[in-house]
Amino acid sequence: MKKAPFLKRSALLLAMLAVCFSMLTAQTNRPKVGLVLGGGGAKGAAEVGVLKAMEQFNIPIDYIAGTSIGSIVGGLYAMGRTPEELDSLFTNQDWVELFSGNVREFLDSITNGKRFEDLEVPFRCVATDVKNEREVVISSGPLGEAMRASMSIPGVFKPVKKGGALLMDGGLINNLPVDVVKAMGADIVIAIDLQQEQHENRTFSLKEKLGIGGALNWLISRPDWKRYNTNKQLADIYIQPLLEDYGVTDFKPAEIQQMIAIGYYAGMKAAEELKALKKRLEN
């Protein structure tokens, strides 16, 4: 008779362990979610707005990939920066002064000198090796250096020399790196696309475009349409803020706030899809 309380306590403990194990297993086995942040200069402020909307649905993000301005937003988000902190950063930063100064120093400061290995969420940063016309997916080393390479817009910033490569803006090759985040292991992809124009697939040559001095126009006009269109179709939840009235250099505080609001609106328009995803992850 004296063993009964012990048996009851043991049974209760086993039941609690079983519940905890079941919850842990469910979390481990759930589909992995990847977040993709496209390039677009100042229009990256809209990505901050989308993240502010997404936070309301508490969707876990397992992997992040970003290009150009998306590498900055994505890298900081992977560090654990909140959308509110990103909002403050975009709004209060003097971007004109920044672009005329030491950008690398600024990126090192906002990333606190962190490396990819220190991030809370696995992150990949896309750059372009213009010497070999190939994509470079950066996954290690200083985060600030990777961001600087990914956002090296031709004609605006000097390329970054790294390991024998000459790295420039990742948007030259892959402006919406859905394929990159899927290669990381994402089963479900949420893509935030800042591109506004749509074109048919066509081929291109970086050397030809860069050689004639039309690099910046080439970057803005998005000639990598085949890769872009394929990646767009691979996204499970595709969010495209409507930014036709804004350009890649619209860094004034009022414009930044407007684009953040547009991004938030775009994120809330995807509310039903995000709710459905949250429910799927919980089952």
Side-chain angles (χ1 to χ4, degrees):
M1 298 293 292
K2 293 182 179 180
K3 294 182 179 180
F6 172 76
L7 292 175
K8 289 181 179 179
R9 287 196 297 272
S10 298
L12 179 60
L13 178 60
L14 288 172
M16 292 175 63
L17 288 173
V19 171
C20 291
F21 180 76
S22 176
M23 293 175 62
L24 181 61
T25 301
Q27 184 173 4
T28 303
N29 293 334
R30 68 164 174 77
K32 301 300 182 183
V33 181
L35 173 66
V36 173
L37 299 152
K43 292 184 285 186
E47 293 176 329
V48 175
V50 176
L51 293 179
K52 292 176 77 171
M54 285 177 54
E55 288 279 299
Q56 299 184 30
F57 302 98
N58 297 312
I59 295 173
I61 300 298
D62 301 290
Y63 306 104
I64 302 174
T67 294
S68 198
I69 193 67
S71 75
I72 298 177
V73 177
L76 294 175
Y77 198 52
M79 281 178 56
R81 294 287 185 91
T82 66
E84 287 71 24
E85 290 173 325
L86 295 175
D87 182 322
S88 178
L89 173 67
F90 265 79
T91 304
N92 297 324
Q93 176 62 43
D94 186 337
W95 294 95
V96 175
E97 180 181 350
L98 168 63
F99 291 153
S100 61
N102 192 328
V103 179
R104 173 64 192 277
E105 184 178 308
F106 167 74
L107 294 173
D108 284 340
S109 69
I110 64 174
T111 58
N112 298 323
K114 287 187 178 294
R115 302 172 64 86
F116 279 79
E117 296 81 1
D118 303 321
L119 299 177
E120 294 184 11
V121 180
F123 172 63
R124 298 291 184 269
C125 182
V126 178
T128 300
D129 179 2
V130 293
K131 291 172 64 175
N132 299 309
E133 295 195 41
R134 66 182 182 90
E135 174 185 74
V136 175
V137 179
I138 307 174
S139 60
S140 62
L143 189 58
E145 178 186 60
M147 290 176 172
R148 173 66 178 80
S150 182
M151 62 166 284
S152 295
I153 299 173
V156 180
F157 299 112
K158 292 181 179 179
V160 173
K161 295 180 180 179
K162 182 178 176 67
L166 196 62
L167 301 181
M168 299 187 77
D169 196 291
L172 292 167
I173 292 285
N174 192 357
N175 204 47
L176 191 69
V178 174
D179 51 349
V180 173
V181 84
K182 288 185 76 68
M184 294 172 71
D187 303 300
I188 299 168
V189 177
I190 303 171
I192 306 175
D193 184 13
L194 303 177
Q195 178 60 46
Q196 303 300 301
E197 298 178 2
Q198 308 299 319
H199 291 276
E200 296 180 357
N201 297 340
R202 53 193 171 99
T203 58
F204 63 96
S205 167
L206 282 180
K207 290 179 180 177
E208 176 188 352
K209 293 298 181 180
L210 295 176
I212 63 175
L216 184 56
N217 287 333
W218 179 90
L219 180 63
I220 294 173
S221 66
R222 287 274 47 79
D224 55 331
W225 288 113
K226 185 173 183 180
R227 182 84 172 269
Y228 166 80
N229 288 334
T230 299
N231 276 334
K232 181 178 173 182
Q233 293 301 317
L234 288 173
D236 297 280
I237 298 179
Y238 175 79
I239 300 175
Q240 184 185 42
L242 299 179
L243 300 165
E244 296 98 333
D245 297 331
Y246 300 88
V248 296
T249 60
D250 289 337
F251 280 107
K252 293 180 181 178
E255 294 168 328
I256 290 292
Q257 280 297 313
Q258 290 164 6
M259 286 187 282
I260 290 175
I262 290 171
Y264 179 81
Y265 175 75
M268 293 308 296
K269 281 188 67 175
E272 293 306 315
E273 291 179 276
L274 294 171
K275 288 177 183 177
L277 173 56
K278 178 64 174 177
K279 185 176 181 180
R280 176 181 173 185
L281 297 175
E282 291 175 341
N283 292 335

